[in-house]
Amino acid sequence: MARFVYRLQKVFELRERRKKEQEQRVLDAQKYVREVEMAIEEKKDEIRDVQKNMLASPHTLMAAHDSFLHHLNGQLDQLHGDLNYAQSELEYERQLLIKAQADLEALVKHKEKAREEWLEEEKKLEMKRLDEVAGQRYFRAQLEKSEEDVLSEEEAFEY
């Protein structure tokens, strides 16, 4: 029996590869979001430490602490902007992954359908061969029977 060969196998492999690449991009985007979130937490901790130190420091350093806190808050705002950007990138990559999965799933279904059609065609060909063999056997049996009938009629004439 012949082996099933999917005619769109190259396309199937290409879509599988694209899906895996997109999964990797989503993982990278998730990693970047986690890194930005960790940086935000570190920045918040740094701001809390400066505020605690500000309470215990002399009043002459208040202006320096205040300007440094203003600088840290600016960095925190920048990190929040980075976080929003990272989350939007993550969502975009997830949408691309969903599309890649849908494309691959469509081709998987097409491949399954093509395989079922191929199996059905193979069954039909096998039935055709079996019918041919059965027809030949029947024809031979009929030939042998007619030959036997002819021989028995010849024997009947001889007596």
Side-chain angles (χ1 to χ4, degrees):
M1 187 167 162
R3 199 173 139 248
F4 173 70
V5 177
Y6 185 51
R7 63 185 174 92
L8 297 176
Q9 186 64 32
K10 294 290 183 185
V11 175
F12 183 78
E13 291 169 359
L14 177 69
R15 288 190 182 176
E16 276 184 323
R17 187 175 36 227
R18 282 185 184 166
K19 180 184 170 250
K20 287 178 184 176
E21 289 171 355
Q22 191 59 40
E23 286 173 344
Q24 185 60 45
R25 284 190 208 112
V26 168
L27 290 175
D28 292 344
Q30 287 174 336
K31 181 180 173 186
Y32 183 64
V33 167
R34 282 192 301 272
E35 288 173 358
V36 172
E37 287 173 344
M38 289 174 55
I40 288 174
E41 288 303 315
E42 289 173 2
K43 194 57 68 176
K44 285 181 181 179
D45 289 342
E46 187 177 356
I47 290 173
R48 278 189 223 108
D49 289 344
V50 169
Q51 287 173 341
K52 285 180 185 177
N53 291 339
M54 191 172 151
L55 296 175
S57 66
H59 72 289
T60 55
L61 296 176
M62 289 296 217
H65 280 296
D66 192 40
S67 65
F68 187 60
L69 278 176
H70 183 67
H71 173 71
L72 290 177
N73 282 327
Q75 289 178 344
L76 184 62
D77 290 340
Q78 178 64 36
L79 286 173
H80 280 293
D82 291 348
L83 179 63
N84 288 337
Y85 174 75
Q87 288 173 338
S88 66
E89 281 297 310
L90 175 61
E91 186 58 33
Y92 175 72
E93 295 296 337
R94 282 183 179 159
Q95 292 299 322
L96 290 178
L97 177 61
I98 290 169
K99 184 181 180 324
Q101 286 173 332
D103 290 345
L104 181 61
E105 184 64 28
L107 212 53
V108 166
K109 288 182 181 181
H110 184 265
K111 184 176 182 177
E112 289 172 0
K113 185 178 177 184
R115 180 168 172 75
E116 289 173 6
E117 290 173 356
W118 176 79
L119 286 173
E120 191 63 34
E121 188 65 31
E122 286 292 313
K123 285 180 186 177
K124 286 179 183 178
L125 288 173
E126 184 67 23
M127 289 304 295
K128 187 177 180 180
R129 282 186 225 121
L130 290 175
D131 286 346
E132 189 175 314
V133 168
Q136 289 174 355
R137 283 187 180 171
Y138 177 76
F139 181 70
R140 284 186 197 142
Q142 291 300 322
L143 251 167
E144 290 173 3
K145 184 179 177 187
S146 65
E147 287 176 1
E148 288 175 5
D149 289 344
V150 169
L151 286 177
S152 65
E153 284 179 13
E154 288 177 2
E155 288 176 5
F157 281 130
E158 289 179 6
Y159 291 118

